[in-house]
């Protein structure tokens, strides 16, 4: 059965994933819109930077975030100058690391959805004298609803399953930075396989349920097509 430590790790994991998903949607939406619309020479570079966590070993990203946010790093010096503590081994640092690591799972579905809308709906809105902001909220967002749904679900689910980055940046502090993936590692290291099975099986069921909900929901969503 689940121990109080397991329940604490589960609660912390879903808390981090919820906050990180909200932040990723707030940051990823304008970034994905810019990437879908721009013809800048920087587009390829920004696309590569955003997608880097998909191919980079999590421990590598976690190590450089640890250095960057540590006392000798640029971010660490800035937070110290502000009178704040450094971010490693804190809840805030855990959220920031999760956002950076899972951001591609939010940006890429949104970018693909924005690109699929095409120019004609935007041109039609412009002929009705809609402002760019009004066009985005009244035209783009409804047409890109499947992309937002995919981004939110994948971003949340991926954050729940993180291990390498969160261990490097957050450490293994009970009720503060110990997420469920780290808790499973602790059980296995202590040869507590029964406890590990409960958590690992729960995550397996959660991941399958998330994908099932995602594909079922997308099947019922209308596909965005440019106006004929």
């Amino acid at each position: 059965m689940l121990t109080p430590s397991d329940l604490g790790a589960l609660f912390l994991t879903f808390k981090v994933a919820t906050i990180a998903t909200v932040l990723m949607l707030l940051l990823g939406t304008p970034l994905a819109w810019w990437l879908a619309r721009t013809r800048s020479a920087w587009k390829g570079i920004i696309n590569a930077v955003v997608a880097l966590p998909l191919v980079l070993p999590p421990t590598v990203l976690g190590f450089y975030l640890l250095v960057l946010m540590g006392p000798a790093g640029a971010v660490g010096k800035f937070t110290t100058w502000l009178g704040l503590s450094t971010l490693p081994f804190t809840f805030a640092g855990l959220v920031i690391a999760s956002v950076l690591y899972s951001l591609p799972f939010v940006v890429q579905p949104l970018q693909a959805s924005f690109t699929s809308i095409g120019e004609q709906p935007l041109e039609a809105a412009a002929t009705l004298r809609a402002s760019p902001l009004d066009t985005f909220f009244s035209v783009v967002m409804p047409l890109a609803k499947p992309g937002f749904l995919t981004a939110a679900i994948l971003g949340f689910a991926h954050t729940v399953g993180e291990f390498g980055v969160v261990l490097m940046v957050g450490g293994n502090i009970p009720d503060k930075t110990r997420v469920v993936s780290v808790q499973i590692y602790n059980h296995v290291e202590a040869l507590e396989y029964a406890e590990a099975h409960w958590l690992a099986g729960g995550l397996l069921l959660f991941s399958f349920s998330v994908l099932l909900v995602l594909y079922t929901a997308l099947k019922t969503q209308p596909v965005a097509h440019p106006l004929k």
Side-chain angles (χ1 to χ4, degrees), residues 117 120-121 124 224-228:
I117 292 174
Q120 293 186 29
H225 292 292
L227 297 178
K228 300 297 182 181

Side-chain angles (χ1 to χ4, degrees), residues 62-227:
F63 169 72
Y64 282 113
L65 287 176
L66 185 64
V67 171
L68 186 64
M69 297 189 297
V75 176
K77 289 180 179 178
F78 180 68
T79 56
T80 302
W81 178 76
L82 291 176
L84 305 173
S85 63
T86 52
L87 293 172
F89 312 115
T90 65
F91 180 80
L94 198 62
V95 170
I96 292 172
S98 298
V99 167
L100 293 176
Y101 185 55
S102 296
L103 193 61
F105 291 86
V106 171
V107 172
Q108 291 188 351
L110 289 177
Q111 183 181 349
S113 189
F114 291 153
T115 301
S116 70
I117 292 174
E119 294 291 335
Q120 293 186 29
L122 307 181
E123 293 171 355
T127 61
L128 298 174
R129 299 184 179 180
S131 67
L133 193 61
D134 186 43
T135 299
F136 184 81
F137 283 104
S138 61
V139 177
V140 175
M141 287 190 68
L143 290 175
K145 185 178 178 181
F148 279 100
L149 180 64
T150 303
I153 292 178
L154 290 183
F156 184 88
H158 189 258
T159 303
V160 168
E162 290 173 11
F163 176 72
V165 169
V166 296
L167 182 61
M168 293 289 287
V169 176
N172 193 1
I173 307 173
D175 299 322
K176 189 175 181 181
T177 62
R178 181 186 290 172
V179 294
V180 67
S181 57
V182 177
Q183 181 71 353
I184 293 173
Y185 174 79
N186 289 341
H187 283 315
V188 173
E189 195 174 43
L191 302 180
E192 298 170 346
Y193 290 148
E195 291 83 353
H197 272 305
W198 276 99
L199 285 177
L203 280 187
L204 177 62
L205 181 62
F206 169 78
S207 300
F208 176 78
S209 300
V210 162
L211 292 176
L212 183 62
V213 169
L214 175 61
Y215 288 123
T216 302
L218 289 179
K219 195 174 181 180
T220 61
Q221 290 292 328
V223 180
H225 292 292
L227 297 178

Side-chain angles (χ1 to χ4, degrees), residues 15-63:
K15 183 179 178 182
V16 170
T18 300
I19 296 174
T21 301
V22 171
L23 292 175
M24 285 188 289
L25 287 172
L26 291 175
L27 295 172
T29 299
L31 177 58
W33 179 246
W34 181 83
L35 288 171
R37 302 286 299 167
T38 188
R39 295 182 180 179
S40 170
W42 287 90
K43 179 178 179 178
I45 297 175
I46 301 301
N47 263 323
V49 170
V50 170
L52 195 58
L54 296 175
V55 296
L56 194 66
T59 50
V60 174
L61 178 61
F63 169 72

